[in-house]
Amino acid sequence: MIHDASYPARPLLATDPHYPRYHFLPAANWLNDPNGLIHWEGVYHLFYQYNPHGPFHGTIHWGHAASRDLVHWEDWPIALAPTPGGADAGGCWSGCAVNDHGTPTLIYTGVHPQVQCLAVSHDGLRTWEKHAEPGIAAPPPGYPTKDFRDPYVWRDGDHWLCVVGSTTSDGRGTVFLYESPDLRSWTYRQPICFGNPEVNGRIWECPNLFPLGNRYLLLLSPIPLRKSVYLIGTFEDGTFRPESQTDFDGGGCLYAPQAMRDAAGRRLVWGWLWEDRPREACMTAGWNGVMSLPRQLDLDSDGTLRITPVSELAALRGAHWQCRDLPLKGTIPLEDLHGDGLEIEAEFEVETAGQVGLLIRRSPDGEEETRIVYDPVAGSLSIDRTKSSTDPVVERDIRSAELRSTDGRLSLQVFVDRSVVEVYANRRVAMTSRIYPNRPDSLGIAAFGEEPAHLRSLDVWEMRTIWE
Ligand code: FRU
């Protein structure tokens, strides 16, 4: 045990068929953004926006979980709660964690109005002491906005830099840059860049700015896009110059990703997976929101972003099934295989014009199924939820991301975890969706495609739950 307190396990695991088995989420209630990610003395700390009072957004606290292996998580006590009469009386909104010369320090947004606050721990990240005054008490002159939040801080030589997400009076997203010698008093420097509302929304939430390879990555969650994007570019003298913009996740359910650097120097990212079913369904379920699996980011030699799930997840692999060189003729159900907690690795040969892919959470008669489809002509990867559930109230759309195989191969890594599906393709594209199959027998897997496309290899593992 990392911590000595005992916390309830996950009772909903046994009773709720949609409650994930190996993704982190609290035992009940509301979760949104990942916050304060930090690797401290060999332990990964994951804080998150949390409402202890119900499965809806309100009275936002910072929940806290910790892990040694990025796979198994232990609940730690709530880290931050709103202080009546304080700068965060209306909620402890998103922020980050840094190591201030040995003192764990959180910088986060207090509301309302939105100001940037600070808290420190003197007992190994267990309890947190707030600094009474906000370090940044208002947006910079010339930017009269109420949207001013989600500080992201890093060390730069002998001082600290901080970016805060915001908007301009004419409705463009922007990120303000601040500098501080001590994390307590901050000097405004400038906006690092401005957006274009046609391309990247009006208000930028949860900015993350960090070096990757020989470039900088700016991760943004723009309102009203309902998705996150990353901009690759340069950052010099306080100015970010974007060279490209891409969706961070094409599945339509991941938002507010936060990145950290671990002791091994890896850039790891988590995102909030929201529910894609009505509020009433979440109220009945008693929980709302899941954390994505941790993914590693690297910049490839060709300048593109590589997104891969962390290798540690292999620790959850149990029973294994494999097949090699399967010709594809229509839909081929994989008879002995079924489950709602699986990892699937599939390598396809796709030198043909036809679609190929996998069907998961499939009922024996195909009434329910979720389709993962690669279309070489369209150059797209899709998650098709039109038949994911017979329940008419849940979201049932088709989401697509751009993907072009350059070498005639398609490599899919798919994590099925009850209501969560995470798809990683060719180490380039990530798509995460939520599905709510209605039938208890929607557990099957099938591959599909047309000759000469074929499946070079398929590996399926049952994934162990992290809660037992
Ligand atoms: C993003 C966000 C942040 C804010 C937090 C509030 O999902 O809106 O901008 O700090 O959630 O919970």
Side-chain angles (χ1 to χ4, degrees):
M1 295 290 272
I2 305 168
H3 188 252
D4 48 10
S6 66
Y7 279 84
R10 297 296 192 266
L12 286 170
L13 190 68
T15 55
D16 183 337
H18 301 308
Y19 190 89
R21 300 159 50 87
Y22 61 89
H23 279 73
F24 176 78
L25 74 166
N29 301 319
W30 169 271
L31 163 149
N32 62 299
D33 314 353
N35 293 150
L37 301 169
I38 194 163
H39 197 191
W40 193 277
E41 292 174 355
V43 176
Y44 293 93
H45 291 266
L46 166 67
F47 301 85
Y48 54 92
Q49 295 280 283
Y50 178 57
N51 180 6
H53 300 125
F56 52 90
H57 191 269
T59 54
I60 291 294
H61 293 54
W62 275 37
H64 186 182
S67 171
R68 280 194 188 280
D69 61 3
L70 289 173
V71 174
H72 300 90
W73 295 90
E74 194 177 21
D75 292 313
W76 277 37
I78 284 177
L80 298 174
T83 299
D88 61 10
C92 303
W93 284 19
S94 286
C96 61
V98 292
N99 179 346
D100 182 11
H101 303 95
T103 304
T105 304
L106 308 179
I107 296 110
Y108 65 100
T109 297
V111 293
H112 301 279
Q114 297 178 9
V115 296
Q116 317 318 321
C117 302
L118 176 139
V120 295
S121 175
H122 298 296
D123 60 359
L125 294 84
R126 281 177 176 73
T127 62
W128 297 86
E129 226 172 80
K130 293 179 188 173
H131 196 262
E133 295 303 319
I136 309 178
Y143 297 96
T145 174
K146 61 175 185 31
D147 295 299
F148 177 58
R149 57 181 174 270
D150 310 335
Y152 184 82
V153 177
W154 69 99
R155 186 87 187 154
D156 181 53
D158 61 354
H159 56 265
W160 299 94
L161 292 178
C162 172
V163 285
V164 182
S166 193
T167 183
T168 62
S169 356
D170 60 351
R172 289 176 293 157
T174 191
V175 168
F176 298 123
L177 179 68
Y178 292 81
E179 183 180 324
S180 170
D182 59 3
L183 297 171
R184 275 126 184 108
S185 69
W186 290 93
T187 306
Y188 171 60
R189 281 183 46 184
Q190 64 190 85
I192 66 163
C193 64
F194 296 103
N196 170 352
E198 315 258 298
V199 179
N200 45 32
R202 289 183 281 104
I203 304 168
W204 287 354
E205 299 188 295
C206 301
N208 284 216
L209 179 66
F210 51 88
L212 200 66
N214 58 359
R215 286 287 182 278
Y216 269 77
L217 205 85
L218 177 62
L219 253 182
L220 298 171
S221 297
I223 293 177
L225 299 192
R226 289 183 59 77
K227 65 180 178 185
S228 300
V229 297
Y230 63 89
L231 283 63
I232 299 179
T234 57
F235 180 62
E236 265 173 279
D237 301 326
T239 300
F240 179 77
R241 291 189 178 81
E243 294 162 355
S244 66
Q245 175 181 312
T246 313
D247 290 352
F248 179 68
D249 185 293
C253 294
L254 184 147
Y255 195 68
Q258 185 174 106
M260 68 169 301
R261 216 174 115 98
D262 76 356
R266 295 184 295 181
R267 279 293 164 184
L268 306 179
V269 178
W270 282 257
W272 160 39
L273 310 182
W274 57 48
E275 302 300 319
D276 243 354
R277 54 180 175 169
R279 182 184 161 94
E280 304 78 64
C282 299
M283 293 304 282
T284 307
W287 59 280
N288 190 332
V290 180
M291 204 54 79
S292 75
L293 296 173
R295 10 184 111 164
Q296 182 175 337
L297 302 185
D298 296 281
L299 200 66
D300 224 334
S301 48
D302 65 3
T304 58
L305 187 67
R306 245 172 38 199
I307 308 181
T308 47
V310 298
S311 56
E312 281 92 334
L313 293 163
L316 291 173
R317 291 173 175 173
H320 179 210
W321 184 95
Q322 70 178 48
C323 84
R324 298 287 177 262
D325 288 316
L326 186 69
L328 294 171
K329 282 197 197 97
T331 298
I332 304 179
L334 303 164
E335 296 296 348
D336 305 332
L337 285 174
H338 42 258
D340 60 3
L342 302 171
E343 181 189 343
I344 306 169
E345 269 188 11
E347 299 280 338
F348 292 90
E349 294 269 355
V350 291
E351 280 156 308
T352 140
Q355 297 183 342
V356 298
L358 296 171
L359 311 178
I360 55 159
R361 298 299 318 261
R362 183 170 198 258
S363 59
D365 59 1
E367 185 191 22
E368 285 189 332
E369 66 186 17
T370 297
R371 298 169 63 83
I372 300 162
V373 185
Y374 175 65
D375 185 330
V377 175
S380 67
L381 180 74
S382 306
I383 298 184
D384 178 344
R385 296 188 291 180
T386 49
K387 289 170 69 185
S388 288
S389 178
T390 55
D391 182 347
V393 304
V394 307
E395 203 54 65
R396 287 181 298 174
D397 59 4
I398 304 175
R399 294 283 177 159
S400 298
E402 202 180 311
L403 179 70
R404 283 182 201 280
S405 167
T406 47
D407 59 0
R409 296 246 187 133
L410 170 69
S411 157
L412 290 181
Q413 195 172 1
V414 181
F415 293 89
V416 180
D417 189 6
R418 293 185 160 180
S419 59
V420 179
V421 184
E422 294 200 34
V423 179
Y424 297 85
N426 288 0
R427 303 164 73 85
R428 284 286 181 284
V429 167
M431 299 188 76
T432 307
S433 282
R434 303 300 305 280
I435 53 170
Y436 306 92
N438 217 7
R439 291 176 47 161
D441 61 353
S442 291
L443 300 169
I445 305 176
F448 69 91
E450 291 300 335
E451 278 183 312
H454 73 278
L455 242 184
R456 275 180 158 259
S457 67
L458 181 74
D459 287 271
V460 181
W461 292 269
E462 266 172 27
M463 294 292 262
R464 300 185 185 91
T465 176
I466 60 173
W467 302 123
E468 283 162 3

